[in-house]
């Protein structure tokens, strides 16, 4: 038989044996407290520096975006200045003949179209009989015509794209089946 001082079950062993019981956090020593405080101070410093760096990067990005928005049309405006100069030169010559004015207007139009094309602004001017495309064209009316239905009959106003995106659709009349 066992004595009354010996534990008979594992639970009793854990309850009576202090080495078998789970250890709780022991109070840190004076040296380890200072080390932890130093580490905490370093981590706080690193955090504050990282936070400040992130804030500076965000601020710089915002400033860059504002500058980009402000000067986004600078290149386009530079391309329009020769067109403006040509128009002002035409107005400065009141003795120009109608033929000279027409020639000047045609040259100015070519300057304008060239400047627009350099900035990826391209016309949408479908030929008569071209298939109606609702992404590029806006139908103003449908008219009975001898051509295939849903095709362009006339272009009322040229449309434009900028870098493959529709800036303004072409205004067109569309053919319907003849009655």
């Amino acid at each position: 038989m066992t004595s009354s001082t010996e534990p008979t079950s594992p639970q009793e062993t854990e309850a009576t044996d202090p080495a078998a019981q789970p250890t709780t956090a022991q109070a840190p020593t004076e040296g380890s407290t200072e080390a932890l405080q130093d580490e905490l101070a370093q981590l706080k410093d690193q955090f504050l520096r990282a936070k400040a760096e992130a804030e500076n990067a965000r601020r710089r990005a915002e400033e860059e975006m504002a500058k980009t928005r402000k000067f986004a049309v600078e290149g386009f405006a530079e391309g329009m200045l020769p067109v403006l100069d040509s128009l002002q030169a035409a107005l400065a010559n009141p003795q120009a003949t109608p033929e000279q004015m027409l020639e000047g207007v045609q040259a100015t139009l070519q300057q304008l179209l060239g400047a627009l094309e350099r900035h990826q602004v391209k016309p949408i001017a479908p030929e008569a009989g071209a298939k109606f495309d609702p992404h590029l064209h806006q139908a103003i009316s449908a008219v009975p015509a001898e051509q295939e239905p849903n095709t362009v009959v006339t272009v009322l106003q040229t449309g434009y794209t900028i870098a493959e995106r529709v800036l303004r659709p072409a205004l067109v009349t569309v053919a319907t089946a003849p009655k």
Side-chain angles (χ1 to χ4, degrees):
M1 181 159 240
T2 60
S3 75
S4 64
T5 58
E6 289 184 32
T8 57
S9 70
Q11 289 83 13
E12 289 178 18
T13 304
E14 288 178 11
T16 56
D17 185 8
Q21 292 184 2
T23 58
T24 57
Q26 296 179 353
T29 62
E30 187 66 31
S32 66
T33 302
E34 289 177 15
L36 288 173
Q37 287 176 340
D38 287 345
E39 185 179 350
L40 177 63
Q42 288 176 354
L43 291 173
K44 281 183 179 179
D45 182 57
Q46 289 174 356
F47 170 75
L48 291 175
R49 288 177 188 272
K51 184 178 176 184
E53 187 175 324
E55 184 64 28
N56 287 339
R58 184 194 59 77
R59 182 185 46 77
R60 282 192 301 271
E62 284 178 357
E63 288 172 358
E64 188 65 31
M65 288 296 290
K67 192 184 295 182
T68 299
R69 281 188 212 106
K70 184 176 181 180
F71 297 109
V73 298
E74 182 177 15
F76 184 75
E78 285 176 359
M80 293 294 111
L81 292 179
V83 177
L84 177 65
D85 294 340
S86 294
L87 290 171
Q88 288 174 334
L91 291 174
N93 186 5
Q95 287 84 18
T97 65
E99 293 81 20
Q100 291 171 325
M101 289 295 279
L102 180 60
E103 186 179 320
V105 167
Q106 289 172 339
T108 303
L109 177 60
Q110 289 308 308
Q111 272 185 320
L112 177 60
L113 291 174
L116 289 172
E117 192 168 319
R118 280 191 298 279
H119 293 281
Q120 299 180 348
V121 177
K122 297 180 182 164
I124 303 171
E127 298 288 325
K131 183 81 172 144
F132 174 76
D133 182 350
H135 297 100
L136 299 174
H137 312 138
Q138 181 176 350
I140 297 300
S141 63
V143 295
E146 294 299 321
Q147 63 194 51
E148 185 178 331
N150 276 344
T151 58
V152 174
V153 176
T154 56
V155 177
L156 303 171
Q157 184 179 58
T158 303
Y160 291 91
T161 61
I162 183 166
E164 307 300 323
R165 183 176 171 187
V166 175
L167 187 59
R168 178 179 80 187
L171 299 180
V172 299
T173 56
V174 178
T176 61
K179 292 184 180 184

